[in-house]
Amino acid sequence: MSIRFQKQILPNGLTVIAEENPSAHTSAVGFFVRAGARDEEARFMGVSHFLEHMMFKGTARRSADDVNREFDEIGANYNAFTSQEMTAYYAQVLPEYLPRAVDLLGDMLRPALRQGDFDMEKNVILEEISMYDDRPGDRLQDVLLETYFGSHPLGFRVLGFKETVSALTSDQMRAYFEHRYSPDNIVVSLAGRLPFDETVRQIEKLTAHWQPTGAVRQYARPDPQAVTRTMKQPNVNRHYTAMICPGPSAQDDMRYPARILADVLGDSDGSRLYWALVDPGLADSADLSFVPQDQTGNFFAFASCDPERSEQVEEILLSTLESSIATLDDQEIQRAKNKIATLATLQGESTLGRMHSMGAKWLYQGQYVTLEEELSRIMAVTKDQVQQVAGSPAFSPRAIVRLGPEEASPSQN
């Protein structure tokens, strides 16, 4: 039997999609919620991530210990994550344990949100924020987004600030949960060896009491700021430079050439930036990445180096990005396409990878794309498209944020 895609929308609006693969040796399931940092109010920043933690603290039927013990009993590879765009909960198991994994995840998505658990986990989140702030690269990225997007929710921190998390109450979290975790705002994605109709019946029974709220995402148009900012910090001994500029959205077909452009110019090994900065020893790292998002997208560039080389490295970084567009050749574009196609294939051979890919794509595009179609779109990209996606002028408008030690040389403006 061949791989087959199936879809069912339940009466309460919950969407269930699946890629049945009878030859697979595992099954994977994920609940994808359109609830991330960009869906929060500024005063509640961090609530989506905090809520993700609370999902593992127990339900009306299970304690926190029960949740972890039962996942372990079925040998699940399980986890969750929160981003700007979504919160996802997932598990990969042997096919015979898929019903238990579905029951566990579905039950978790209606958490008890006990006050004692809330108070205890708040301390964990605050410690996580402190640890995050101590990592220069992570702090730099947060400040970069805030600088570029200003007060727009796309600039919100996923973890939030200590002030917003400290002030958050369990009632405020519950109100956010009850609105955003609406069944018509959730996609259940399945992949691997599974009985689709039977699993849908189980999910429908499990979620029958979930009431839709009509939660929608607000798409206020961002106003990117083309600014430069320099920060200095006494406990930093390297210099870090980060840049952000517009790119295609997750719905735009130009996301394929954008991904190839990022690989050619900024992959961690063998790219233009690698040969210009890392190979000659001018920088510890230098890369360009492309991040497609819901109705928007961005290119990110990053480099770290000795403070005394900061101006030289930034100049080479920007000049390489700007000047390379006109000199791209078919051979390096083909190499990038081959590399990206290989990575997509490796992910597609995993039920966990397919489940993640389908769930995210459905949230963004509301459509199913087979692995073969994805590979075809990658390989069909032309040099003209890759050159076009950089924009004119290339990689602009852009914001640049630098972070270095107190003794670093004065910033260039």
Side-chain angles (χ1 to χ4, degrees):
M1 293 179 64
S2 60
I3 293 174
R4 181 171 62 159
F5 173 74
Q6 300 233 54
K7 181 192 76 165
Q8 183 72 47
I9 298 178
L10 303 185
N12 61 7
L14 184 72
T15 298
V16 183
I17 59 174
E19 189 177 78
E20 294 182 85
N21 183 356
S23 64
H25 296 288
T26 61
S27 302
V29 54
F31 284 68
F32 291 76
V33 190
R34 192 181 285 102
R38 69 181 296 179
D39 301 299
E40 301 168 354
E41 294 182 44
R43 62 190 177 123
F44 301 144
M45 197 185 303
V47 64
S48 301
H49 172 256
F50 193 163
L51 183 56
E52 176 213 318
H53 280 232
M54 292 300 296
M55 294 291 174
F56 289 88
K57 294 301 175 182
T59 70
R61 290 198 281 140
R62 292 178 169 93
S63 67
D65 287 343
D66 290 335
V67 170
N68 290 293
R69 175 181 52 78
E70 290 186 45
F71 273 126
D72 288 341
E73 284 177 353
I74 61 177
N77 173 18
Y78 70 100
N79 212 329
F81 67 84
T82 306
S83 70
Q84 292 287 133
E85 307 273 78
M86 69 184 75
T87 310
Y89 308 84
Y90 60 89
Q92 182 184 37
V93 293
L94 296 175
E96 58 265 35
Y97 293 122
L98 179 62
R100 288 186 63 182
V102 168
D103 183 71
L104 259 169
L105 290 171
D107 190 33
M108 283 172 55
L109 261 71
R110 285 304 179 262
L113 299 181
R114 303 179 184 93
Q115 186 64 46
D117 294 330
F118 177 88
D119 295 337
M120 184 177 298
E121 199 61 26
K122 179 179 284 191
N123 293 325
V124 175
I125 301 295
L126 292 173
E127 181 62 27
E128 187 176 353
I129 293 174
S130 295
M131 293 173 61
Y132 193 86
D133 286 342
D134 287 338
R135 299 199 292 262
D138 293 333
R139 180 166 179 261
L140 182 64
Q141 180 166 319
D142 279 341
V143 175
L144 180 69
L145 292 174
E146 292 162 0
T147 301
Y148 186 64
F149 287 113
S151 61
H152 191 280
L154 284 169
F156 286 1
R157 299 189 180 193
V158 172
L159 296 186
F161 290 94
K162 287 185 177 180
E163 294 79 9
T164 58
V165 172
S166 296
L168 188 69
T169 68
S170 57
D171 285 342
Q172 290 167 339
M173 174 181 282
R174 188 170 288 105
Y176 177 82
F177 161 76
E178 289 175 351
H179 180 63
R180 298 304 311 181
Y181 277 65
S182 172
D184 53 355
N185 203 39
I186 298 174
V187 172
V188 181
S189 177
L190 298 138
R193 182 147 53 94
L194 56 97
F196 180 73
D197 292 338
E198 182 180 328
T199 304
V200 167
R201 286 194 293 270
Q202 180 192 6
I203 293 171
E204 183 171 8
K205 182 178 180 181
L206 184 64
T207 65
H209 63 288
W210 296 12
Q211 295 299 312
T213 66
V216 294
R217 171 165 289 161
Q218 299 301 316
Y219 291 103
R221 189 176 183 85
D223 182 23
Q225 301 300 303
V227 297
T228 300
R229 178 177 177 184
T230 299
M231 302 183 296
K232 296 181 180 181
Q233 196 169 309
N235 61 341
V236 170
N237 57 24
R238 308 299 289 166
H239 181 90
Y240 304 89
T241 301
M243 182 204 81
I244 180 174
C245 66
S249 72
Q251 290 84 8
D252 190 339
D253 286 343
M254 289 299 283
R255 66 187 183 274
Y256 293 102
R259 187 175 176 189
I260 290 166
L261 177 64
D263 188 272
V264 170
L265 299 187
D267 188 50
S268 60
D269 186 17
S271 66
R272 295 273 183 114
L273 287 179
Y274 173 84
W275 293 116
L277 289 169
V278 180
D279 183 69
L282 297 175
D284 310 313
S285 63
D287 61 68
L288 176 72
S289 59
F290 165 59
V291 180
Q293 293 177 286
D294 194 1
Q295 304 297 333
T296 188
N298 299 285
F299 287 104
F300 290 87
F302 177 85
S304 64
C305 63
D306 289 330
E308 57 268 24
R309 292 197 178 115
S310 60
E311 293 187 10
Q312 179 187 14
V313 166
E314 183 175 322
E315 181 181 352
I316 294 174
L317 172 74
L318 296 178
S319 64
T320 299
L321 295 180
E322 292 166 358
S323 64
S324 294
I325 304 304
T327 60
L328 293 174
D329 63 63
D330 292 326
Q331 189 175 26
E332 61 185 340
I333 290 174
Q334 187 61 50
R335 283 199 302 268
K337 290 197 288 188
N338 292 342
K339 184 192 303 181
I340 293 169
T342 298
L343 292 174
T345 302
L346 290 173
Q347 182 189 40
E349 290 179 341
S350 161
T351 58
L352 188 64
R354 283 304 293 164
M355 179 273 294
H356 274 294
S357 178
M358 291 193 306
K361 280 185 171 63
W362 201 272
L363 276 188
Y364 287 135
Q365 300 147 12
Q367 63 179 210
Y368 168 67
V369 179
T370 67
L371 176 59
E372 290 73 19
E373 289 171 333
E374 187 77 1
L375 296 177
S376 176
R377 294 178 185 183
I378 292 168
M379 302 308 286
V381 170
T382 67
K383 183 174 73 173
D384 286 345
Q385 290 175 321
V386 176
Q387 292 174 320
Q388 176 188 347
V389 80
S392 181
F395 301 106
S396 63
R398 61 189 176 218
I400 297 174
V401 176
R402 313 179 188 102
L403 172 63
E406 290 285 2
E407 66 273 20
S409 58
S411 98
Q412 51 188 350
N413 286 295

